[in-house]
Amino acid sequence: MRDEASGWSGNWVAERLGVRLRTTDAPSGMMITDLVGLAVRRNPRRAQLLVSSVLGKHVPTDPRLVTDAGLRLAAKARAAVTGDAVVLGYAETATALGHLVADGLGAPYLHSTRRVVEGLESVADFFEEHSHATSHRLLPADPAFLARAETLVLVDDEVITGKTVVSTIRALHKKFPHKHYVVATLVDLRSEADRGRMERSVKRLRATLDVVSLASGEIDLPEDLADNGNRLIDTVESLRQLAGVESVQRPRGEVVQVVATWPRAVPEGGRHGFTTSVAGSYESAVTVTAAAVAGRIPDGPVHVLGTEELMYAPLRIASALADRRAAEGRRHEITFSTTTRSPVLDVDDPGYAVRTAITFPSHDDPADGDGPRFAYNLRAGAFEAIVLVVDEPADTPALHQEGGLVDQLSRMAPRVVVVTIPAFTPEPRHDQPARQLPAPLHGPAFGSYERDDVSWLLTDLSSEDAETTEDNDEAHLELFDEALSASAQRVAYAVGLVTEQVLARRGQDAVLVSLAPTGTPIGVLMRRWAQRVHGLDLPHYAISLIHGRGIDQTALAYLAAHHDPARVMFVDGWTGTGAVTRELAAAVEKANSTLDAHLSSPFSPEMAALADPGRSVAIYGTREDFLIPSACLGPTASGLVSSTVLDDDRVGPNDFHGAVFHAGLAPSDMSKKFIDTVAARFPIVRTKVMLDLEAHLGGDHTPTWAGWDAVEDAAERFGDGDVSLVVAGIDETVRLLLHGEPAKVLVDPARDADLGQVKRLAEAREVPLERVSGLPYSCIGLLRS
């Protein structure tokens, strides 16, 4: 076991931030420090970046070294696989690594993507919380692609805690259950506790798990690493500004354009699935393309640069160029790396893994919006030529504009060869007829709110559901009345503050779109504030977002047909784990792509929440965690409308998601009482809202996802790492105590003043309370497993 190597490219970070790596097992003969260095990135969840020396992502690397590492990992995976296998790689870093593992196994391959492709719906989405770009989509041409084998092999470049892997397995197991899961990674840095949690999580799915790696070890991360990392970045950048070092503007070299001889029927990688049946055609395409490139590059060092997810094709082209030169008896001098979305501090020090950086605008019309992109460790004058490999969707005018990637590369080398690979676009899975949009529902025919309060973009399933009772007994109503009396003015103040922010961002023609049912009463109140304070009649809709199924795309199509999407603001009552925030972002990304031809402007995934104790949104009325009265009841506090549902038997492909109007519950309806009581406080809080607004708008609203960190910590300490057993915040905990199967409630003693109702409910149900200081929430509820 060794702590760090002499001359290691992680020493700079280790010395300044206290990060330590130790090798515990090196079955391939390579230590952890042989495989990775360290860098620092600006990320509130994970400041450290492990920079692989064998992956070809951030560091220019001999392509044959990258291939060798991938095939070595495939050999490890082969020993663990039972039966046949299908391989899944993670975008963007492990798309080529996963393909190499699939090559070594002779298995079909798919990698996740952050693109949206018209005609293809994602068969599954999952999230990578620590990543710079967290949303992953799976777009196989064959929807059953992942269901073909007994073993699913998941490939990533590193596993530190295993949380992302477990999250992926849980998401996929619901649709594509496998008996056996194998995780193949270059470096495995899980602690013993992490290993146990992963095994238990997969065992609960009645499946087995193996993890294989080229090296395993341990990583020590100081508790204040994220804060110290950001301070270190600020210090380095400030010193640069003081030094006043100006970049040298070099003349442009020659730019040569090459269109690859690549059959459109042959995938350029695994974005839509790759099977062994196309391997021969792929080899031929690589060989012909490499030959075309070889005739356009001079002798001497040449660097092949891929773009984000497009890693495997440029790696294979680089390998073929190296093989050609070796066959001719020449030094091959070919290196390979790719661009990335991840912002990393560059420090020109031999003990640091990212020594240079170039920044350029995105050039592939990304569904999640434009933003900066990066290429690291490329030095001007180091190469006789740079070969840039892109696919058609990424070969846009932005790629070639001044300051774009091609422009910057041409100032680093005498020649830049741009190789464009034709895009593989699978046939749409089914013909979709022109959408005929349904009409909204209104009260009193649907819902108990006034007609002008809200337009329900829902399908009325009341005739399908005869249930007209709810378990709201006297205790529930008493709890509601107590919470309303205690917090009406607090809610009114938060409503005013969040509404003013929405008006500042969307203007006086803002469109409020509540997530039913919990967001609906908040949207009604926000509309009332805008009306009474500013004389505005804002359109207000309620739509459905269902966990695991996403937001109602038909409802978004209706909104796009009747309003400028740029004016839409999504609204919810409170943030818990942040799951709604993530699902909303993924659904909006999908809608912007599928509705692109009909959109005057894209929808924004921004969400305004009355309360944001989870720190997952930027627009909020408060981040305090107190009981919002409408959370105490179900439909009787949300316009007598149920939670939304989506199933093929009752909701057609062009219908809105469904919900039930519980008209029979009218005698116990508290919906109007909640709205009227809170709205009556508007004149009381109006002056304070306006006085506080400027300071609130000027504050730092950046989501930190501190709530999700607390959820993961609670799951690890009390739920064997299963985050599905955790509900976050006082509102969700009250719902759990009223209607669920609670095992325990964690309470923050510093929030005792807001916990009276929770303590009484827990005592009545004999649910134990455990005091945990420092929670971002007042309390966290744990379900029985």
Side-chain angles (χ1 to χ4, degrees), residues 475-618:
H476 292 165
L477 295 174
E478 183 180 343
L479 179 66
F480 170 81
D481 284 335
E482 180 183 340
L484 185 60
S485 176
S487 64
Q489 189 161 317
R490 205 171 177 183
V491 172
Y493 174 77
V495 166
L497 208 53
V498 73
T499 307
E500 293 299 329
Q501 291 172 79
V502 171
L503 294 174
R505 288 176 179 254
R506 296 292 190 269
Q508 295 194 347
D509 51 353
V511 179
L512 304 177
V513 179
S514 298
L515 304 181
T518 57
T520 309
I522 307 307
V524 172
L525 284 167
M526 292 173 66
R527 185 179 186 279
R528 293 272 183 99
W529 177 277
Q531 189 176 50
R532 296 185 184 184
V533 175
H534 299 283
L536 302 173
D537 284 319
L538 301 184
H540 174 217
Y541 298 89
I543 66 174
S544 166
L545 186 149
I546 298 174
H547 180 61
R549 303 293 296 272
I551 205 166
D552 187 341
Q553 296 289 316
T554 303
L556 292 184
Y558 179 92
L559 293 169
H562 292 82
H563 301 279
D564 180 357
R567 299 300 178 186
V568 167
M569 177 64 75
F570 297 100
V571 174
D572 205 2
W574 56 85
T575 62
T577 64
V580 171
T581 310
R582 294 192 296 269
E583 292 213 34
L584 178 63
V588 167
E589 175 185 323
K590 174 182 176 182
N592 285 337
S593 174
T594 56
L595 299 172
D596 180 62
H598 308 286
L599 293 179
S600 56
S601 54
F603 287 101
S604 166
E606 285 185 315
M607 184 175 78
L610 182 77
D612 179 38
R615 272 69 169 176
S616 64
V617 298

Side-chain angles (χ1 to χ4, degrees), residues 618-642:
I619 306 168
Y620 54 86
T622 180
R623 279 182 165 165
E624 295 179 350
D625 187 21
F626 63 91
L627 182 59
I628 298 172
S630 57
C632 301
L633 306 176
T636 52
S638 303
L640 297 182
V641 175
S642 72

Side-chain angles (χ1 to χ4, degrees), residues 650-678:
R650 298 189 288 176
V651 178
N654 292 321
D655 292 335
F656 298 135
H657 291 184
V660 174
F661 171 35
H662 290 286
L665 295 176
S668 57
D669 187 19
M670 296 290 111
S671 304
K672 290 184 178 180
K673 180 178 181 179
F674 174 61
I675 298 300
D676 292 343
T677 302
V678 173

Side-chain angles (χ1 to χ4, degrees), residues 22 24-25 32 157-162 185-191 195 198 211-218:
R22 290 180 294 277
T24 56
D25 188 26
I32 293 288
D157 58 312
E158 64 188 45
V159 175
I160 295 182
T161 65
T185 180
L186 294 175
V187 294
D188 178 3
L189 295 174
R190 295 172 300 153
S191 66
R195 293 168 189 264
M198 282 186 68
V211 181
V212 298
S213 65
L214 295 189
S216 58
E218 300 171 350

Side-chain angles (χ1 to χ4, degrees), residues 405-421:
L405 179 56
V406 171
D407 176 54
Q408 295 203 49
L409 294 178
S410 71
R411 301 179 191 279
M412 304 182 76
R415 175 171 290 193
V416 173
V417 179
V418 180
V419 180
T420 303
I421 298 177

Side-chain angles (χ1 to χ4, degrees), residues 95-429:
T95 56
L97 181 65
H99 210 137
L100 291 167
V101 170
D103 288 345
L105 294 175
Y109 175 61
L110 176 73
H111 71 69
S112 64
T113 181
R114 295 184 175 104
R115 277 194 185 167
V116 175
V117 177
E118 186 174 357
L120 288 184
E121 291 192 5
S122 177
V123 299
D125 297 341
F126 55 92
F127 299 90
E128 189 177 7
E129 282 78 17
H130 69 265
S131 173
H132 180 68
T134 65
S135 176
H136 291 253
R137 314 180 78 238
L138 299 181
L139 298 178
D142 175 6
F145 189 89
L146 290 176
R148 293 176 173 175
E150 179 179 332
T151 300
L152 175 62
V153 181
L154 297 100
V155 181
D156 208 352
D157 58 312
E158 64 188 45
V159 175
I160 295 182
T161 65
K163 293 175 183 177
T164 295
V165 171
V166 170
S167 174
T168 306
I169 291 174
R170 285 181 183 142
L172 295 181
H173 198 80
K174 295 175 183 177
K175 294 185 177 181
F176 311 105
H178 289 80
K179 295 180 180 179
H180 187 206
Y181 294 92
V182 173
V183 178
T185 180
L186 294 175
V187 294
D188 178 3
L189 295 174
R190 295 172 300 153
S191 66
E192 286 302 320
D194 293 328
R195 293 168 189 264
R197 279 189 289 268
M198 282 186 68
E199 291 174 2
R200 290 191 295 271
S201 295
V202 175
K203 187 176 181 180
R204 278 197 290 269
L205 302 176
R206 298 182 180 179
T208 56
L209 172 71
D210 284 295
V211 181
V212 298
S213 65
L214 295 189
S216 58
E218 300 171 350
I219 184 169
D220 294 337
L221 301 173
E223 289 186 4
D224 53 359
L225 177 61
D227 290 339
N228 288 342
N230 283 328
R231 280 194 289 268
L232 180 59
I233 291 173
D234 291 339
T235 299
V236 172
E237 292 177 344
S238 296
L239 290 173
R240 286 177 180 168
Q241 291 178 358
L242 290 173
V245 178
E246 296 184 3
S247 59
V248 178
Q249 186 72 354
R250 297 178 175 83
R252 290 191 60 169
E254 181 184 15
V255 176
V256 179
Q257 197 87 28
V258 174
V259 177
T261 306
W262 202 287
R264 287 189 178 272
V266 177
E268 73 281 2
R271 181 178 287 115
H272 304 301
F274 190 100
T275 63
T276 55
S277 63
V278 297
S281 299
Y282 194 92
E283 294 293 332
S284 176
V286 168
T287 301
V288 173
T289 301
V293 172
R296 292 170 169 83
I297 56 175
D299 286 336
V302 172
H303 184 69
V304 179
L305 184 66
T307 45
E308 297 187 39
E309 294 174 12
L310 185 65
M311 293 187 69
Y312 185 69
L315 170 65
R316 294 297 310 280
I317 292 169
S319 296
L321 290 172
D323 290 342
R324 286 177 64 93
R325 286 191 172 182
E328 295 168 0
R330 296 186 292 159
R331 293 178 58 189
H332 73 74
E333 295 182 300
I334 305 291
T335 52
F336 160 74
S337 67
T338 71
T339 64
T340 178
R341 293 180 171 213
S342 183
V344 183
L345 175 70
D346 60 295
V347 177
D348 195 6
D349 186 286
Y352 190 79
V354 174
R355 300 184 64 176
T356 67
I358 60 172
T359 303
F360 52 93
S362 54
H363 54 87
D364 58 349
D365 192 23
D368 56 350
D370 297 332
R373 301 295 186 260
F374 311 91
Y376 297 117
N377 289 307
L378 303 181
R379 288 190 180 275
F383 310 108
E384 292 298 323
I386 297 175
V387 178
L388 175 65
V389 182
V390 297
D391 57 7
E392 281 180 338
D395 193 354
T396 62
L399 179 70
H400 301 270
Q401 70 184 17
E402 185 175 355
L405 179 56
V406 171
D407 176 54
Q408 295 203 49
L409 294 178
S410 71
R411 301 179 191 279
M412 304 182 76
R415 175 171 290 193
V416 173
V417 179
V418 180
V419 180
T420 303
I421 298 177
F424 169 67
T425 305
E427 293 295 324
R429 295 188 188 127

Side-chain angles (χ1 to χ4, degrees), residues 53-84:
S53 56
V54 299
L55 189 65
K57 187 64 180 175
H58 301 86
V59 181
T61 310
D62 185 329
R64 294 187 287 191
L65 176 62
V66 177
T67 302
D68 178 70
L71 296 181
R72 285 192 186 200
L73 187 58
K76 302 286 184 185
R78 188 184 305 113
V81 166
T82 56
D84 52 353

